[in-house]
Amino acid sequence: MEGPNDSLASEFVLLGLSGSWETKVFLMMIFSSIYLGIILGNLSILFLVIFDSHLHSPMYFLLANLSFIDVGVASTTVPKMITDLLKEHKIISFKGCITQICFIHIMGGVEMVLLMAMAFDRYTAICTPLHYSNIMNPKICVSFVITGWVIGVIHAMSKFAFIINLPFCGPNKVDSFYCDFPRIIKLACTDGAKLEFIVAANSGFMSMGTFFLLILSYIFILVAAFVTLSAHITVVVLFFTPFDKYLFIADFAITPALNPIIYTLRNKDIKVAIKRLSKQGH
């Protein structure tokens, strides 16, 4: 008797980014530099928030968690994309593909909640400053993070339960540089239109609902704090905007690199913390 996985492909071929050898070497250097910047920048923020007591506030607690997630988001796809650039055959096993999909959606779910929590934090700080410390207490901040992980895991497990039982008996080429869930299910030997509807209902509703809630919260405070929030809004728009396989790099490489730039070059507290840490080192 056949189990649900007997017809599954053992591996997928990632078509990735095409181009000449010189172009691929150039892209490898660019993406390697960006990835190094993501790791160093976000871990620096995480390190500063943990060890500088002046940054022990709700905003920086959420920022530190966002930096940790950004490292995870980039690490799920960018290293393999870099190594695959110089490979003729870009192969990923079925188990590896499923693992990548799960991690992408776990991190994505957590990041959506963190972005909402950060928007709520700024809304509270600007619109109800007298009640800020009571509303954004440590218990609430921790609850935001735990909620994010719970939603992320549930979201990822729904994808896992859905794809693990799909029959893959035909083409195994994925027109992407990573295991893109919508492109993977299109390879299944079943009704494609029905699958696409399920994907839209699962991911689209969650993403767009979160996006509109974020935008709604910014409408109330945009005039009062446009300079402070403009960079954050840029990150939100990049995170929730649908892209093709080339522009989707923005989600995994550009967006995680933006937060260190935004919160170090434009944030006085972070700048002071860096100087304070540098003096302690001397």
Side-chain angles (χ1 to χ4, degrees):
M1 183 176 178
E2 292 186 356
N5 299 332
D6 289 350
S7 59
L8 290 174
S10 60
E11 62 184 24
F12 293 103
V13 178
L14 302 175
L15 299 183
L17 303 174
S18 58
S20 64
W21 174 261
E22 291 78 11
T23 301
K24 290 179 179 179
V25 171
F26 174 75
L27 289 174
M28 185 187 73
M29 294 174 64
I30 293 295
F31 289 130
S32 296
S33 300
I34 292 175
Y35 182 64
L36 181 62
I38 290 170
I39 299 299
L40 294 178
N42 283 290
L43 289 184
S44 295
I45 290 177
L46 189 61
F47 178 82
L48 283 172
V49 173
I50 290 174
F51 292 101
D52 193 316
S53 59
H54 296 84
L55 299 180
H56 291 175
S57 66
M59 182 177 74
Y60 292 109
F61 172 77
L62 296 172
L63 174 60
N65 279 275
L66 182 64
S67 294
F68 175 75
I69 291 300
D70 280 339
V71 170
V73 168
S75 298
T76 55
T77 55
V78 178
K80 180 164 179 57
M81 182 182 70
I82 292 171
T83 56
D84 280 351
L85 277 169
L86 301 182
K87 292 180 181 178
E88 184 177 353
H89 302 289
K90 305 169 181 63
I91 305 296
I92 185 169
S93 67
F94 178 77
K95 290 182 179 179
C97 186
I98 295 298
T99 301
Q100 190 180 66
I101 288 174
C102 285
F103 272 103
I104 287 172
H105 286 91
I106 288 174
M107 299 296 175
V110 178
E111 185 153 4
M112 281 193 288
V113 174
L114 286 176
L115 289 172
M116 291 184 67
M118 293 177 74
F120 179 73
D121 173 78
R122 292 301 82 205
Y123 171 82
T124 306
I126 294 171
C127 297
T128 57
L130 297 179
H131 301 287
Y132 177 75
S133 58
N134 290 328
I135 296 174
M136 293 301 296
N137 59 66
K139 185 177 179 180
I140 291 296
C141 294
V142 172
S143 297
F144 274 130
V145 175
I146 293 175
T147 300
W149 281 99
V150 170
I151 290 176
V153 169
I154 292 174
H155 184 55
M157 289 303 100
S158 69
K159 303 286 187 184
F160 176 79
F162 182 72
I163 200 172
I164 197 68
N165 291 308
L166 289 178
F168 293 90
C169 52
N172 67 339
K173 293 183 179 180
V174 182
D175 187 20
S176 184
F177 61 90
Y178 72 105
C179 280
D180 185 10
F181 182 72
R183 288 184 170 89
I184 291 293
I185 64 171
K186 285 181 179 179
L187 301 177
C189 305
T190 185
D191 186 0
K194 182 180 178 181
L195 294 178
E196 289 179 16
F197 173 78
I198 294 174
V199 170
N202 184 285
S203 296
F205 179 78
M206 182 178 178
S207 298
M208 293 308 297
T210 305
F211 178 74
F212 284 121
L213 284 174
L214 283 166
I215 295 302
L216 185 63
S217 67
Y218 286 135
I219 289 174
F220 292 102
I221 54 178
L222 193 56
V223 176
F226 180 78
V227 174
T228 304
L229 294 171
S230 58
H232 190 193
I233 292 171
T234 302
V235 174
V236 171
V237 171
L238 278 175
F239 184 79
F240 289 105
T241 303
F243 296 110
D244 62 23
K245 76 169 184 177
Y246 295 104
L247 294 179
F248 218 105
I249 294 170
D251 254 0
F252 298 105
I254 306 303
T255 302
L258 278 178
N259 283 325
I261 297 172
I262 292 168
Y263 291 103
T264 55
L265 298 182
R266 300 186 59 177
N267 189 291
K268 182 180 178 181
D269 292 336
I270 293 290
K271 289 180 181 179
V272 171
I274 292 173
K275 292 178 181 179
R276 193 160 42 237
L277 193 65
S278 300
K279 289 180 180 180
Q280 291 178 356
H282 295 305

